[in-house]
Coordinates of all heavy atoms in Angstrom, one line a residue:
F94 N 90.4 109.7 98.8 CA 90.0 110.0 97.5 C 91.2 110.5 96.6 O 91.4 110.0 95.5 CB 88.9 111.1 97.5 CG 88.4 111.5 96.1 CD1 87.5 110.7 95.4 CD2 88.9 112.6 95.5 CE1 87.1 111.0 94.1 CE2 88.5 113.0 94.2 CZ 87.6 112.2 93.5
A95 N 92.0 111.3 97.2 CA 93.2 111.8 96.5 C 94.1 110.7 96.1 O 94.6 110.6 95.0 CB 93.9 112.9 97.3
V96 N 94.4 109.8 97.1 CA 95.3 108.7 96.9 C 94.7 107.8 95.8 O 95.5 107.3 94.9 CB 95.5 107.9 98.2 CG1 96.2 106.5 97.9 CG2 96.4 108.7 99.2
L97 N 93.4 107.5 95.8 CA 92.8 106.6 94.8 C 92.9 107.2 93.4 O 93.3 106.5 92.5 CB 91.3 106.4 95.2 CG 90.5 105.5 94.2 CD1 91.1 104.2 94.1 CD2 89.1 105.5 94.6
V98 N 92.6 108.5 93.3 CA 92.7 109.1 92.0 C 94.1 109.1 91.4 O 94.4 108.7 90.3 CB 92.1 110.5 92.0 CG1 92.4 111.2 90.7 CG2 90.6 110.5 92.3
V99 N 95.1 109.5 92.3 CA 96.5 109.6 91.8 C 97.0 108.2 91.5 O 97.7 108.0 90.6 CB 97.3 110.3 92.8 CG1 98.8 110.3 92.4 CG2 96.9 111.7 93.0
A100 N 96.6 107.2 92.3 CA 97.0 105.8 92.1 C 96.5 105.3 90.7 O 97.2 104.6 90.0 CB 96.5 104.9 93.2
L101 N 95.3 105.7 90.4 CA 94.7 105.3 89.1 C 95.5 105.9 87.9 O 95.8 105.3 86.9 CB 93.2 105.6 89.0 CG 92.3 104.8 89.9 CD1 90.9 105.4 89.8 CD2 92.3 103.4 89.4
V102 N 95.9 107.2 88.1 CA 96.6 107.9 87.1 C 98.0 107.2 86.9 O 98.5 107.0 85.8 CB 96.8 109.4 87.5 CG1 97.8 110.1 86.5 CG2 95.4 110.1 87.4
V103 N 98.7 107.0 88.1 CA 100.0 106.4 88.0 C 100.0 105.0 87.4 O 100.8 104.6 86.6 CB 100.6 106.3 89.5 CG1 101.9 105.5 89.5 CG2 100.9 107.7 90.0
A104 N 98.9 104.2 87.8 CA 98.8 102.9 87.2 C 98.6 102.9 85.7 O 99.2 102.1 84.9 CB 97.6 102.2 87.9
L105 N 97.8 103.9 85.2 CA 97.6 104.1 83.8 C 98.9 104.4 83.1 O 99.2 103.8 82.0 CB 96.5 105.2 83.6 CG 96.2 105.5 82.1 CD1 95.6 104.2 81.4 CD2 95.2 106.7 82.0
V106 N 99.6 105.3 83.6 CA 100.9 105.7 83.0 C 101.9 104.5 83.1 O 102.6 104.3 82.1 CB 101.5 106.9 83.7 CG1 102.9 107.3 83.2 CG2 100.5 108.1 83.5
D107 N 101.9 103.8 84.2 CA 102.8 102.6 84.3 C 102.5 101.6 83.3 O 103.5 101.0 82.7 CB 102.6 102.0 85.7 CG 103.4 102.7 86.8 OD1 104.3 103.5 86.5 OD2 103.1 102.5 88.0
V108 N 101.3 101.3 83.0 CA 100.9 100.3 82.0 C 101.5 100.7 80.6 O 102.0 99.8 79.9 CB 99.4 100.2 81.9 CG1 99.0 99.3 80.7 CG2 98.9 99.5 83.2
A109 N 101.5 102.0 80.3 CA 102.0 102.4 79.0 C 103.5 102.6 79.0 O 104.1 102.3 77.9 CB 101.4 103.8 78.7
V110 N 104.2 102.9 80.1 CA 105.6 103.3 80.1 C 106.5 102.2 80.7 O 107.6 102.0 80.1 CB 105.8 104.6 80.9 CG1 107.2 105.0 80.9 CG2 105.0 105.7 80.2
V111 N 106.1 101.6 81.7 CA 107.1 100.7 82.4 C 107.6 99.5 81.5 O 108.8 99.2 81.6 CB 106.4 100.1 83.7 CG1 107.3 99.0 84.3 CG2 106.2 101.2 84.7
P112 N 106.7 98.9 80.7 CA 107.3 97.9 79.8 C 108.4 98.4 78.9 O 109.4 97.7 78.6 CB 106.1 97.5 78.9 CG 104.9 97.8 79.8 CD 105.3 99.0 80.5
I113 N 108.4 99.7 78.5 CA 109.4 100.3 77.7 C 110.7 100.5 78.6 O 111.8 100.2 78.2 CB 109.0 101.6 77.1 CG1 107.8 101.4 76.2 CG2 110.1 102.3 76.3 CD1 107.1 102.6 75.6
L114 N 110.5 101.0 79.8 CA 111.6 101.3 80.7 C 112.3 100.0 81.1 O 113.6 100.0 81.3 CB 111.1 102.0 82.0 CG 110.4 103.3 81.8 CD1 110.0 103.8 83.2 CD2 111.4 104.3 81.2
L115 N 111.6 98.9 81.2 CA 112.3 97.6 81.5 C 113.3 97.2 80.5 O 114.2 96.3 80.8 CB 111.2 96.6 81.8 CG 110.3 96.8 83.0 CD1 109.3 95.7 83.1 CD2 111.2 96.8 84.3
H116 N 113.2 97.7 79.3 CA 114.1 97.3 78.2 C 115.4 98.1 78.3 O 116.3 97.8 77.6 CB 113.4 97.4 76.8 CG 112.4 96.4 76.6 ND1 112.7 95.1 76.3 CD2 111.1 96.5 76.4 CE1 111.6 94.4 76.1 NE2 110.6 95.2 76.2
E117 N 115.4 99.1 79.1 CA 116.6 100.0 79.2 C 117.6 99.3 80.1 O 117.2 98.8 81.2 CB 116.2 101.4 79.7 CG 117.4 102.3 79.7 CD 116.9 103.8 79.9 OE1 115.7 104.0 79.9 OE2 117.8 104.6 80.1
G118 N 118.8 99.3 79.7 CA 119.9 98.7 80.5 C 120.3 99.6 81.7 O 120.1 100.8 81.7
S119 N 120.7 98.9 82.7 CA 121.2 99.6 83.9 C 122.7 100.1 83.6 O 123.6 99.3 83.6 CB 121.3 98.7 85.1 OG 120.0 98.2 85.4

């Protein structure tokens, strides 16, 4: 249950943030 809940939270944050992070240069 803990893994499922945290996974949903991380996925939600990823959807909002990762597309922005991918535009950042290495």
Side-chain angles (χ1 to χ4, degrees):
F94 179 80
V96 167
L97 177 60
V98 172
V99 175
L101 290 174
V102 171
V103 170
L105 180 62
V106 175
D107 278 344
V108 169
V110 176
V111 170
I113 299 173
L114 296 179
L115 291 176
H116 288 291
E117 185 166 353
S119 301

